[in-house]
Amino acid sequence: MLDKPQLKNMLDTPVAQRMPREIAPGVFWIGDCLAQRHKGKSYHGYNAAYLVAGIEASILVETGHPKDFPVIERHMNELFARGVAPLKYLFVTHQETPHCGGLGRILKNFPDALLVGDVSDYHLAFPQYEHRMRSMNEGDAIDLGGRSLMAVEPVIRDLRTTWWGFDTKERVLFPGDGFAYSHYHEDGHCGLIAEEAVSLDLPDVSSTFADLALFWTKFADMNVYCDRLDHLIARLDVKVIGPTHGLPITDVKATVPKVQAGLKAAALMPESGTNEKVAVAS
Ligand SMILES: [Zn+2]
Ligand SMILES: [Zn+2]
């Protein structure tokens, strides 16, 4: 976690200038917020991407929502201009639009990049890039020079084809739909890590996200999933978490239990539906 002087600097930094943000040496959080209305409030979510830079090559983890592509491409080009190793790989956690919606444009604009991970079905949308797709299984690792990106067990997953990513050098976990929660633009949370957003009620926003986006958590014993998460975090010795939809977590011991409390609470509530309710005219 950042010490107090660095924290103050980031809180004083205008939101638009907070990204790209280096959450661990050589690991850059990039992308933009997505605004949604829920219970009369403006919730912000992330469909973030992360650039992990090795000595020889960089890998992009997730592509962001389709609307984010211009921002993500600009952030990446800023980093490459600063001397970050060129993009050779794209890893997406699963085949859902907020995670892979920029895939075709990444492969088009970065012709040296290979798509890695579970690559099921992408060839149907992009047959012209089929020769650049490489399937990964759990434990497979992509060498970037001095660090690698490994496919690891996806404890909380949206699709059967999900893999989570793990940076072996700084021990950063990329859990896709795991650790998903919204934040409040009005409270200045955009571009902050979870531990800086002190006014964000993590159990509450985690439970809301699970309610809206991960319906299966209503029908599963989330204690078992949370135990498995603890097991994975201990086994990999995770130091930092870079979720696709939540704010990055840099104090795993303090923050993970709050997100787990939200998952467990959401599991006990009836599903509220995915949209704001509008009265039906009788
Ligand atoms: Zn998602
Ligand atoms: Zn925001």
Side-chain angles (χ1 to χ4, degrees):
M1 191 178 164
L2 298 179
D3 59 25
K4 283 278 154 50
Q6 286 173 304
L7 172 60
K8 187 166 180 305
N9 285 343
M10 191 49 82
L11 294 176
D12 290 342
T13 303
V15 169
Q17 292 167 27
R18 288 178 183 166
M19 311 275 272
R21 187 162 180 193
E22 194 168 15
I23 59 165
V27 179
F28 301 91
W29 178 29
I30 62 179
D32 200 5
C33 306
L34 178 78
Q36 281 169 307
R37 301 289 301 172
H38 179 69
K39 291 183 187 163
K41 291 190 224 167
S42 174
Y43 267 95
H44 265 199
Y46 271 105
N47 297 291
Y50 294 88
L51 191 78
V52 181
I55 297 164
E56 308 292 332
S58 290
I59 188 166
L60 182 67
V61 177
E62 311 282 52
T63 70
H65 189 279
K67 72 134 180 101
D68 294 333
F69 183 75
V71 176
I72 282 175
E73 187 180 39
R74 176 166 56 78
H75 284 166
M76 279 202 291
N77 286 332
E78 277 175 43
L79 294 169
F80 298 139
R82 279 158 52 182
V84 164
L87 190 74
K88 297 279 179 68
Y89 304 98
L90 166 63
F91 174 89
V92 285
T93 58
H94 63 289
Q95 292 84 347
E96 198 189 26
T97 310
H99 300 262
C100 69
L103 187 151
R105 285 176 285 179
I106 298 281
L107 293 178
K108 176 169 181 281
N109 293 6
F110 297 90
D112 294 333
L114 297 177
L115 174 68
V116 298
D118 184 302
V119 296
S120 303
D121 296 348
Y122 294 122
H123 67 291
L124 299 173
F126 300 104
Q128 69 272 39
Y129 301 133
E130 186 174 359
H131 62 290
R132 292 165 58 195
M133 299 176 186
R134 305 283 184 275
S135 180
M136 288 173 84
N137 277 312
E138 184 175 4
D140 289 348
I142 302 286
D143 181 20
L144 304 172
R147 74 196 316 158
S148 54
L149 194 287
M150 188 188 288
V152 300
E153 179 187 354
V155 178
I156 310 284
R157 56 181 164 178
D158 206 356
L159 298 181
R160 183 188 54 77
T161 49
T162 305
W163 286 123
W164 287 3
F166 180 64
D167 164 44
T168 56
K169 182 156 182 268
E170 298 297 328
R171 317 209 74 76
V172 185
L173 179 68
F174 301 102
D177 282 328
F179 303 92
Y181 48 88
S182 313
H183 62 273
Y184 295 105
H185 176 78
E186 291 88 343
D187 293 351
H189 295 149
C190 309
L192 298 184
I193 58 171
E195 294 80 15
E196 291 168 343
V198 286
S199 62
L200 188 63
D201 182 344
L202 275 176
D204 179 60
V205 285
S206 302
S207 113
T208 300
F209 204 103
D211 185 41
L212 296 176
L214 298 169
F215 79 97
W216 61 266
T217 58
K218 305 287 174 198
F219 311 103
D221 180 352
M222 293 314 290
N223 293 302
V224 175
Y225 285 86
C226 290
D227 289 350
R228 193 70 196 170
L229 261 181
D230 290 336
H231 175 79
L232 181 78
I233 287 168
R235 180 166 64 84
L236 297 175
D237 189 20
V238 172
K239 301 285 189 218
V240 175
I241 299 175
T244 305
H245 304 303
L247 305 178
I249 293 168
T250 60
D251 187 340
V252 170
K253 211 171 165 197
T255 305
V256 166
K258 297 178 188 173
V259 177
Q260 291 177 331
L263 283 174
K264 290 177 187 177
L268 302 177
M269 286 183 239
E271 194 183 2
S272 69
T274 52
N275 288 304
E276 207 133 296
K277 300 290 185 292
V278 178
V280 179
S282 55

